Amino acid sequence: MAHKKGLGSSRNGRDSNPKMLGVKVFDGQSITAGTIIVRQRGTRFRPGAGAGIGRDDTIFAKRNGTVVFKTTDSRRFISVTE
């Protein structure tokens, strides 16, 4: 005789892995070149001077320095100053 599980638990069990998004280094902290500053989906933050943007919209430091968050109009920028 064929068996079938109760419909409750057998339909569960599909969940995506966490993506670890968010700000990794905050304003005023020192940073080395190549370090990830923000992991994001879309451009919530945009790169300023001394920062770059990756293929998946990750903001990273291009040089050693201090992280600076700036807001102009409705856009938020992240820069790395010496």
Side-chain angles (χ1 to χ4, degrees):
M1 184 172 171
H3 291 285
K4 189 172 181 181
K5 285 190 171 220
L7 292 178
S9 63
S10 66
R11 289 187 178 183
N12 298 332
R14 290 173 302 281
D15 198 5
S16 60
N17 293 326
K19 302 302 179 220
M20 312 304 183
L21 302 177
V23 178
K24 308 298 180 187
V25 181
F26 293 92
D27 194 15
Q29 290 185 297
S30 59
I31 196 172
T32 58
T35 304
I36 292 174
I37 303 171
V38 177
R39 289 189 34 83
Q40 59 187 353
R41 291 291 168 261
T43 52
R44 294 169 61 92
F45 295 94
R46 294 167 189 267
I53 190 163
R55 197 179 50 148
D56 62 347
D57 295 319
T58 296
I59 306 289
F60 60 91
K62 285 187 168 180
R63 62 182 177 215
N64 298 342
T66 305
V67 177
V68 177
F69 284 71
K70 278 187 262 190
T71 303
T72 58
D73 297 327
S74 61
R75 295 190 174 187
R76 296 189 284 183
F77 290 93
I78 299 175
S79 304
V80 178
T81 60
E82 298 284 337

